[in-house]
């Protein structure tokens, strides 16, 4: 089941997929560049409430269905200005890790906005994953260390632990043989 436009607000999300595509062809201003590895981050929305286009409050999770949201494909780069570095810095909350995979299963909050697609003019969700924040226990003011930790301890209000959320990591060296 796929969910359409999500309401605007702050959602609880669990980092649930990291897919690495291996080296991909690159171009700049129409000219071929050296291939670079690319990846995509994916998250399940597991709680929170937003405001829909009609101005009404709406739960992100409905009837136990946790929608997925994904970052755009991204070049795997260690340049300090690269989007990959910004994503990693946002994801790498305590305890610190050295790779995205180590943070799979971690619970965050992220702002979801509603904007217009520049080409079609249709409404679409806009999410800046560089602005992920740790999901914090309101009583202790400490971040939940993992999604499982949050679900096993005191679950944040409105956060569900769906049975169908699986954590996925797929890494390839780009070879198919």
């Amino acid at each position: 089941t796929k969910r359409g436009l999500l309401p605007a607000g702050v959602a609880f999300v669990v980092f649930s997929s990291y897919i690495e595509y291996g080296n991909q062809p690159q171009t700049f201003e129409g000219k071929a560049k050296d291939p670079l590895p690319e990846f995509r981050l994916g998250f399940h929305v597991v709680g929170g409430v937003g405001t829909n286009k009609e101005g009404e409050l709406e739960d992100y999770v409905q009837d136990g269905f946790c929608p997925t949201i994904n970052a755009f494909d991204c070049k795997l780069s260690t340049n300090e200005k690269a989007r990959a570095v910004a994503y990693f810095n946002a994801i790498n909350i305590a305890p610190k890790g050295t790779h995205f995979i180590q943070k799979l299963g971690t619970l965050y909050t992220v702002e979801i906005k509603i904007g217009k697609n520049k080409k079609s003019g249709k409404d679409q969700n806009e999410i800046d994953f560089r602005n992920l924040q740790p999901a914090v226990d309101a009583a202790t003011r400490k971040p939940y260390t993992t999604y499982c930790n949050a679900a096993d301890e005191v679950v944040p209000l409105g956060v569900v632990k769906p049975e169908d959320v699986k954590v996925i990591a797929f890494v390839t060296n780009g070879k198919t043989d």
Side-chain angles (χ1 to χ4, degrees):
T1 307
K2 186 172 180 175
R3 175 125 184 243
L5 190 69
L6 296 172
V10 176
F12 284 98
V13 297
V14 62
F15 179 31
S16 56
S17 70
Y18 173 81
I19 301 172
E20 205 171 278
Y21 297 108
N23 286 336
Q24 300 297 313
Q26 305 293 315
T27 58
F28 181 72
E29 296 179 351
K31 295 184 180 183
K33 305 288 281 178
D34 290 339
L36 290 173
E38 290 187 2
F39 69 96
R40 179 184 294 173
L41 307 177
F43 300 82
H44 275 82
V45 178
V46 294
V49 176
T51 304
N52 64 23
K53 287 187 55 181
E54 291 74 37
E56 300 167 348
L57 292 178
E58 183 179 314
D59 291 329
Y60 285 109
V61 177
Q62 295 183 356
D63 299 322
F65 176 72
C66 296
T68 57
I69 53 177
N70 297 300
F72 292 108
D73 291 353
C74 183
K75 296 174 191 73
L76 195 56
S77 171
T78 56
N79 180 309
E80 65 184 42
K81 294 181 182 180
R83 193 167 16 134
V85 171
Y87 285 166
F88 186 73
N89 289 340
I91 278 180
N92 199 23
I93 60 173
K96 299 288 185 181
T98 57
H99 195 281
F100 285 106
I101 290 174
Q102 293 169 298
K103 305 314 286 182
L104 285 166
T106 303
L107 185 68
Y108 300 92
T109 59
V110 70
E111 184 177 11
I112 298 176
K113 297 178 182 179
I114 298 175
K116 295 278 185 195
N117 182 293
K118 291 177 184 170
K119 291 182 182 176
S120 70
K122 292 183 179 181
D123 290 327
Q124 68 179 19
N125 286 122
E126 296 175 349
I127 304 165
D128 188 344
F129 292 99
R130 297 172 293 192
N131 295 327
L132 286 166
Q133 297 294 314
V136 177
D137 183 314
T140 66
R141 295 191 176 126
K142 293 182 180 177
Y144 293 105
T145 53
T146 67
Y147 176 56
C148 294
N149 168 323
D152 292 341
E153 294 176 10
V154 179
V155 177
L157 186 61
V159 172
V160 300
K161 187 172 182 179
E163 299 301 320
D164 63 344
V165 172
K166 304 285 189 255
V167 175
I168 300 169
F170 179 74
V171 181
T172 177
N173 64 3
K175 296 180 181 178
T176 57
D177 55 339

